[in-house]
Amino acid sequence: MIDGNRAEGYDLICDICGHTVVGLDDFDEAKDYAKENGWRTEKYNGAWENYCPKCQEG
Ligand SMILES: [Zn+2]
């Protein structure tokens, strides 16, 4: 998931293992970071989930 707000910045969090990337400036930057760093984004039960590269192995 991508979580956060303008004041404190956004975090990109793996919905499987909880690995967190902190300090992203805004929602779009978090999305771009995910795309550029091999994260997978999937819609699940109407919500977006993010999976880090490690959780996509095997
Ligand atoms: Zn993960």
Side-chain angles (χ1 to χ4, degrees), residues 13-19 39 50-56:
I13 304 160
C14 176
D15 287 286
I16 295 174
C17 72
H19 176 70
W39 288 58
N50 299 90
Y51 309 130
C52 76
K54 211 166 181 166
C55 289
Q56 296 172 48

Side-chain angles (χ1 to χ4, degrees), residues 5-57:
N5 56 60
R6 290 252 165 208
E8 292 175 15
Y10 284 76
D11 300 339
L12 173 64
I13 304 160
C14 176
D15 287 286
I16 295 174
C17 72
H19 176 70
T20 304
V21 178
V22 299
L24 299 156
D25 284 342
D26 56 34
F27 192 83
D28 281 342
E29 188 176 305
K31 271 200 315 198
D32 285 347
Y33 180 95
K35 204 153 76 177
E36 285 161 14
N37 290 277
W39 288 58
R40 207 165 89 204
T41 303
E42 264 184 29
K43 206 161 199 181
Y44 183 76
N45 281 346
W48 289 103
E49 302 228 311
N50 299 90
Y51 309 130
C52 76
K54 211 166 181 166
C55 289
Q56 296 172 48
E57 290 169 8

